[in-house]
Amino acid sequence: MPRLSRHDGYAWHLHIDHGDDAGWGDWFLAAGALALAQILTEHGRVTWGACEASNCGNFYLGTGPGSPRRYCSPTCASRARVAAHRRRRREAGSADGPPAR
């Protein structure tokens, strides 16, 4: 249930839960729903998905302008680019002999 709350010196803000005696599971579910609702109202339709980097199981929300996201972080994107570059060099080297240094 939505309710206004003011505590710990913070201004009035929205809480959505089953009250102060709700369990952690209820709190996380309600807080996640509230966060998603705020993102959707601020940014409209957002892109989301699973990170495409190998060995990464993170999900992402893309709220910024520009091209659609494929990775959860710049670190995963960089690792994927470096791995693809090294794979292309290996493939080119195996077809034409060892790569030049």
Side-chain angles (χ1 to χ4, degrees), residues 6-43:
R6 185 171 74 179
H7 55 85
D8 302 327
Y10 291 100
W12 286 101
H13 57 280
L14 187 62
H15 277 223
I16 299 182
D17 56 28
H18 295 289
D20 291 332
D21 58 343
W24 281 105
D26 289 334
W27 185 85
F28 280 118
L29 181 61
L34 175 60
L36 181 58
Q38 287 176 320
I39 288 171
L40 290 173
T41 57
E42 289 178 20
H43 299 285

Tab-separated table of all heavy atoms in Angstrom, residues 6-43:
chain	number	residue	atom	x	y	z
A	6	ARG	N	8.028	10.400	6.478
A	6	ARG	CA	9.099	11.379	6.730
A	6	ARG	C	9.823	10.881	7.969
A	6	ARG	O	9.238	10.741	9.043
A	6	ARG	CB	8.511	12.762	6.954
A	6	ARG	CG	9.600	13.828	7.105
A	6	ARG	CD	9.036	15.197	7.114
A	6	ARG	NE	8.378	15.435	8.400
A	6	ARG	CZ	7.790	16.560	8.726
A	6	ARG	NH1	7.740	17.549	7.859
A	6	ARG	NH2	7.224	16.706	9.898
A	7	HIS	N	11.116	10.614	7.810
A	7	HIS	CA	11.890	10.067	8.921
A	7	HIS	C	13.360	10.388	8.755
A	7	HIS	O	13.813	10.735	7.668
A	7	HIS	CB	11.684	8.548	9.025
A	7	HIS	CG	12.000	7.822	7.747
A	7	HIS	ND1	13.270	7.428	7.405
A	7	HIS	CD2	11.202	7.455	6.719
A	7	HIS	CE1	13.249	6.834	6.237
A	7	HIS	NE2	11.997	6.835	5.791
A	8	ASP	N	14.091	10.285	9.813
A	8	ASP	CA	15.552	10.450	9.817
A	8	ASP	C	16.018	11.733	9.134
A	8	ASP	O	17.072	11.764	8.508
A	8	ASP	CB	16.232	9.249	9.154
A	8	ASP	CG	15.895	7.930	9.829
A	8	ASP	OD1	15.708	7.940	11.068
A	8	ASP	OD2	15.815	6.908	9.132
A	9	GLY	N	15.250	12.795	9.231
A	9	GLY	CA	15.639	14.074	8.647
A	9	GLY	C	15.363	14.208	7.160
A	9	GLY	O	15.709	15.231	6.555
A	10	TYR	N	14.790	13.192	6.513
A	10	TYR	CA	14.471	13.266	5.090
A	10	TYR	C	13.125	13.959	4.898
A	10	TYR	O	12.265	13.932	5.764
A	10	TYR	CB	14.401	11.861	4.464
A	10	TYR	CG	15.738	11.186	4.379
A	10	TYR	CD1	16.113	10.238	5.317
A	10	TYR	CD2	16.624	11.499	3.354
A	10	TYR	CE1	17.353	9.616	5.246
A	10	TYR	CE2	17.857	10.890	3.274
A	10	TYR	CZ	18.217	9.938	4.220
A	10	TYR	OH	19.433	9.325	4.143
A	11	ALA	N	12.946	14.562	3.733
A	11	ALA	CA	11.668	15.185	3.394
A	11	ALA	C	10.625	14.096	3.173
A	11	ALA	O	10.946	12.902	3.116
A	11	ALA	CB	11.830	16.027	2.126
A	12	TRP	N	9.372	14.518	3.033
A	12	TRP	CA	8.309	13.562	2.755
A	12	TRP	C	8.630	12.808	1.474
A	12	TRP	O	9.078	13.384	0.483
A	12	TRP	CB	6.975	14.288	2.592
A	12	TRP	CG	6.397	14.765	3.871
A	12	TRP	CD1	6.432	16.028	4.361
A	12	TRP	CD2	5.692	13.981	4.836
A	12	TRP	NE1	5.802	16.093	5.576
A	12	TRP	CE2	5.324	14.836	5.888
A	12	TRP	CE3	5.329	12.642	4.918
A	12	TRP	CZ2	4.624	14.406	6.998
A	12	TRP	CZ3	4.635	12.208	6.020
A	12	TRP	CH2	4.287	13.083	7.042
A	13	HIS	N	8.421	11.511	1.490
A	13	HIS	CA	8.655	10.672	0.315
A	13	HIS	C	7.716	9.473	0.371
A	13	HIS	O	7.095	9.193	1.390
A	13	HIS	CB	10.120	10.225	0.231
A	13	HIS	CG	10.597	9.494	1.449
A	13	HIS	ND1	10.977	10.145	2.601
A	13	HIS	CD2	10.727	8.177	1.693
A	13	HIS	CE1	11.345	9.252	3.508
A	13	HIS	NE2	11.194	8.040	2.986
A	14	LEU	N	7.623	8.786	-0.748
A	14	LEU	CA	6.677	7.693	-0.905
A	14	LEU	C	7.295	6.373	-0.459
A	14	LEU	O	8.431	6.047	-0.816
A	14	LEU	CB	6.242	7.593	-2.364
A	14	LEU	CG	5.146	6.617	-2.709
A	14	LEU	CD1	3.846	6.996	-1.992
A	14	LEU	CD2	4.923	6.626	-4.207
A	15	HIS	N	6.555	5.604	0.325
A	15	HIS	CA	6.904	4.233	0.670
A	15	HIS	C	5.774	3.352	0.174
A	15	HIS	O	4.602	3.719	0.245
A	15	HIS	CB	7.011	4.052	2.191
A	15	HIS	CG	8.323	4.467	2.755
A	15	HIS	ND1	8.988	3.728	3.692
A	15	HIS	CD2	9.095	5.552	2.542
A	15	HIS	CE1	10.106	4.325	4.035
A	15	HIS	NE2	10.195	5.457	3.346
A	16	ILE	N	6.131	2.188	-0.310
A	16	ILE	CA	5.121	1.216	-0.700
A	16	ILE	C	5.505	-0.099	-0.038
A	16	ILE	O	6.516	-0.709	-0.387
A	16	ILE	CB	5.041	1.040	-2.225
A	16	ILE	CG1	4.664	2.344	-2.881
A	16	ILE	CG2	4.058	-0.053	-2.580
A	16	ILE	CD1	4.521	2.283	-4.367
A	17	ASP	N	4.746	-0.507	0.952
A	17	ASP	CA	4.981	-1.768	1.639
A	17	ASP	C	3.752	-2.116	2.462
A	17	ASP	O	2.706	-1.506	2.325
A	17	ASP	CB	6.242	-1.706	2.495
A	17	ASP	CG	6.233	-0.571	3.502
A	17	ASP	OD1	5.146	-0.155	3.928
A	17	ASP	OD2	7.320	-0.095	3.871
A	18	HIS	N	3.892	-3.077	3.321
A	18	HIS	CA	2.774	-3.515	4.155
A	18	HIS	C	2.857	-2.908	5.551
A	18	HIS	O	2.293	-3.443	6.485
A	18	HIS	CB	2.761	-5.034	4.253
A	18	HIS	CG	2.493	-5.702	2.948
A	18	HIS	ND1	1.257	-5.675	2.346
A	18	HIS	CD2	3.297	-6.391	2.107
A	18	HIS	CE1	1.315	-6.326	1.204
A	18	HIS	NE2	2.534	-6.773	1.029
A	19	GLY	N	3.572	-1.817	5.717
A	19	GLY	CA	3.712	-1.185	7.021
A	19	GLY	C	5.096	-1.430	7.601
A	19	GLY	O	5.903	-2.166	7.055
A	20	ASP	N	5.354	-0.804	8.709
A	20	ASP	CA	6.681	-0.893	9.314
A	20	ASP	C	7.020	-2.285	9.834
A	20	ASP	O	8.180	-2.608	10.025
A	20	ASP	CB	6.798	0.115	10.462
A	20	ASP	CG	6.817	1.551	9.954
A	20	ASP	OD1	7.261	1.755	8.807
A	20	ASP	OD2	6.390	2.446	10.695
A	21	ASP	N	6.018	-3.123	10.056
A	21	ASP	CA	6.286	-4.467	10.564
A	21	ASP	C	6.377	-5.515	9.448
A	21	ASP	O	6.430	-6.707	9.720
A	21	ASP	CB	5.216	-4.873	11.577
A	21	ASP	CG	3.810	-4.838	10.990
A	21	ASP	OD1	3.627	-4.210	9.928
A	21	ASP	OD2	2.910	-5.426	11.606
A	22	ALA	N	6.437	-5.086	8.194
A	22	ALA	CA	6.542	-6.022	7.066
A	22	ALA	C	7.912	-6.694	7.074
A	22	ALA	O	8.901	-6.135	7.534
A	22	ALA	CB	6.338	-5.285	5.745
A	23	GLY	N	7.962	-7.910	6.542
A	23	GLY	CA	9.226	-8.641	6.453
A	23	GLY	C	10.109	-8.107	5.336
A	23	GLY	O	9.685	-7.313	4.494
A	24	TRP	N	11.362	-8.578	5.324
A	24	TRP	CA	12.326	-8.120	4.315
A	24	TRP	C	11.885	-8.476	2.908
A	24	TRP	O	12.073	-7.702	1.971
A	24	TRP	CB	13.712	-8.709	4.586
A	24	TRP	CG	14.423	-7.976	5.669
A	24	TRP	CD1	14.617	-8.412	6.944
A	24	TRP	CD2	15.001	-6.678	5.602
A	24	TRP	NE1	15.287	-7.459	7.663
A	24	TRP	CE2	15.538	-6.383	6.867
A	24	TRP	CE3	15.108	-5.729	4.590
A	24	TRP	CZ2	16.179	-5.184	7.143
A	24	TRP	CZ3	15.754	-4.535	4.877
A	24	TRP	CH2	16.284	-4.275	6.132
A	25	GLY	N	11.309	-9.642	2.706
A	25	GLY	CA	10.846	-10.035	1.367
A	25	GLY	C	9.795	-9.082	0.830
A	25	GLY	O	9.866	-8.648	-0.321
A	26	ASP	N	8.821	-8.732	1.679
A	26	ASP	CA	7.800	-7.762	1.275
A	26	ASP	C	8.424	-6.407	0.986
A	26	ASP	O	8.049	-5.718	0.038
A	26	ASP	CB	6.734	-7.608	2.367
A	26	ASP	CG	5.842	-8.828	2.481
A	26	ASP	OD1	5.696	-9.554	1.481
A	26	ASP	OD2	5.291	-9.031	3.577
A	27	TRP	N	9.381	-6.015	1.818
A	27	TRP	CA	10.017	-4.714	1.644
A	27	TRP	C	10.786	-4.654	0.319
A	27	TRP	O	10.663	-3.695	-0.431
A	27	TRP	CB	10.960	-4.418	2.807
A	27	TRP	CG	11.529	-3.045	2.719
A	27	TRP	CD1	10.975	-1.891	3.167
A	27	TRP	CD2	12.766	-2.674	2.093
A	27	TRP	NE1	11.789	-0.833	2.871
A	27	TRP	CE2	12.897	-1.278	2.213
A	27	TRP	CE3	13.771	-3.392	1.452
A	27	TRP	CZ2	13.987	-0.587	1.721
A	27	TRP	CZ3	14.866	-2.690	0.956
A	27	TRP	CH2	14.954	-1.301	1.089
A	28	PHE	N	11.578	-5.691	0.011
A	28	PHE	CA	12.345	-5.691	-1.241
A	28	PHE	C	11.422	-5.707	-2.458
A	28	PHE	O	11.675	-5.015	-3.443
A	28	PHE	CB	13.314	-6.878	-1.310
A	28	PHE	CG	14.574	-6.671	-0.536
A	28	PHE	CD1	14.889	-7.502	0.517
A	28	PHE	CD2	15.443	-5.636	-0.847
A	28	PHE	CE1	16.054	-7.311	1.238
A	28	PHE	CE2	16.602	-5.433	-0.137
A	28	PHE	CZ	16.905	-6.279	0.915
A	29	LEU	N	10.367	-6.486	-2.406
A	29	LEU	CA	9.427	-6.521	-3.520
A	29	LEU	C	8.769	-5.162	-3.730
A	29	LEU	O	8.701	-4.652	-4.854
A	29	LEU	CB	8.365	-7.593	-3.267
A	29	LEU	CG	7.324	-7.772	-4.368
A	29	LEU	CD1	7.989	-8.198	-5.667
A	29	LEU	CD2	6.291	-8.799	-3.933
A	30	ALA	N	8.310	-4.545	-2.654
A	30	ALA	CA	7.649	-3.242	-2.760
A	30	ALA	C	8.635	-2.162	-3.205
A	30	ALA	O	8.318	-1.325	-4.050
A	30	ALA	CB	7.020	-2.862	-1.423
A	31	ALA	N	9.851	-2.169	-2.654
A	31	ALA	CA	10.854	-1.168	-3.025
A	31	ALA	C	11.249	-1.321	-4.489
A	31	ALA	O	11.428	-0.329	-5.204
A	31	ALA	CB	12.082	-1.290	-2.127
A	32	GLY	N	11.382	-2.554	-4.971
A	32	GLY	CA	11.710	-2.782	-6.379
A	32	GLY	C	10.610	-2.294	-7.305
A	32	GLY	O	10.872	-1.695	-8.348
A	33	ALA	N	9.362	-2.541	-6.923
A	33	ALA	CA	8.232	-2.072	-7.725
A	33	ALA	C	8.186	-0.548	-7.759
A	33	ALA	O	7.933	0.062	-8.804
A	33	ALA	CB	6.920	-2.629	-7.178
A	34	LEU	N	8.444	0.079	-6.616
A	34	LEU	CA	8.468	1.543	-6.561
A	34	LEU	C	9.590	2.103	-7.431
A	34	LEU	O	9.380	3.049	-8.196
A	34	LEU	CB	8.630	2.025	-5.121
A	34	LEU	CG	8.786	3.534	-4.927
A	34	LEU	CD1	7.570	4.279	-5.451
A	34	LEU	CD2	9.011	3.850	-3.453
A	35	ALA	N	10.775	1.516	-7.346
A	35	ALA	CA	11.901	1.991	-8.157
A	35	ALA	C	11.603	1.852	-9.647
A	35	ALA	O	11.873	2.771	-10.432
A	35	ALA	CB	13.168	1.219	-7.791
A	36	LEU	N	11.041	0.725	-10.050
A	36	LEU	CA	10.698	0.534	-11.459
A	36	LEU	C	9.642	1.541	-11.907
A	36	LEU	O	9.748	2.119	-12.996
A	36	LEU	CB	10.205	-0.893	-11.697
A	36	LEU	CG	9.836	-1.236	-13.129
A	36	LEU	CD1	11.021	-1.028	-14.075
A	36	LEU	CD2	9.341	-2.672	-13.210
A	37	ALA	N	8.646	1.792	-11.069
A	37	ALA	CA	7.614	2.780	-11.403
A	37	ALA	C	8.222	4.169	-11.560
A	37	ALA	O	7.861	4.917	-12.480
A	37	ALA	CB	6.529	2.789	-10.332
A	38	GLN	N	9.151	4.535	-10.685
A	38	GLN	CA	9.795	5.848	-10.796
A	38	GLN	C	10.622	5.956	-12.068
A	38	GLN	O	10.598	6.981	-12.750
A	38	GLN	CB	10.657	6.121	-9.568
A	38	GLN	CG	9.841	6.422	-8.344
A	38	GLN	CD	10.705	6.608	-7.108
A	38	GLN	OE1	11.676	5.905	-6.896
A	38	GLN	NE2	10.329	7.579	-6.287
A	39	ILE	N	11.348	4.908	-12.415
A	39	ILE	CA	12.152	4.931	-13.644
A	39	ILE	C	11.240	5.072	-14.862
A	39	ILE	O	11.514	5.857	-15.768
A	39	ILE	CB	13.018	3.665	-13.740
A	39	ILE	CG1	14.142	3.734	-12.712
A	39	ILE	CG2	13.583	3.482	-15.136
A	39	ILE	CD1	14.922	2.448	-12.566
A	40	LEU	N	10.152	4.318	-14.888
A	40	LEU	CA	9.246	4.384	-16.031
A	40	LEU	C	8.569	5.742	-16.147
A	40	LEU	O	8.379	6.251	-17.256
A	40	LEU	CB	8.196	3.274	-15.936
A	40	LEU	CG	8.718	1.859	-16.149
A	40	LEU	CD1	7.631	0.846	-15.871
A	40	LEU	CD2	9.279	1.697	-17.540
A	41	THR	N	8.209	6.364	-15.020
A	41	THR	CA	7.561	7.673	-15.103
A	41	THR	C	8.553	8.767	-15.476
A	41	THR	O	8.179	9.738	-16.123
A	41	THR	CB	6.864	8.043	-13.784
A	41	THR	OG1	7.803	8.022	-12.724
A	41	THR	CG2	5.728	7.095	-13.482
A	42	GLU	N	9.813	8.622	-15.101
A	42	GLU	CA	10.813	9.640	-15.426
A	42	GLU	C	11.353	9.493	-16.843
A	42	GLU	O	11.655	10.469	-17.506
A	42	GLU	CB	11.975	9.575	-14.438
A	42	GLU	CG	11.622	10.066	-13.057
A	42	GLU	CD	12.778	9.938	-12.084
A	42	GLU	OE1	13.941	9.827	-12.535
A	42	GLU	OE2	12.520	9.937	-10.876
A	43	HIS	N	11.504	8.264	-17.316
A	43	HIS	CA	12.181	8.035	-18.589
A	43	HIS	C	11.279	7.445	-19.666
A	43	HIS	O	11.734	7.233	-20.789
A	43	HIS	CB	13.373	7.094	-18.382
A	43	HIS	CG	14.399	7.629	-17.447
A	43	HIS	ND1	15.284	8.627	-17.787
A	43	HIS	CD2	14.662	7.319	-16.158
A	43	HIS	CE1	16.051	8.900	-16.753
A	43	HIS	NE2	15.695	8.124	-15.748
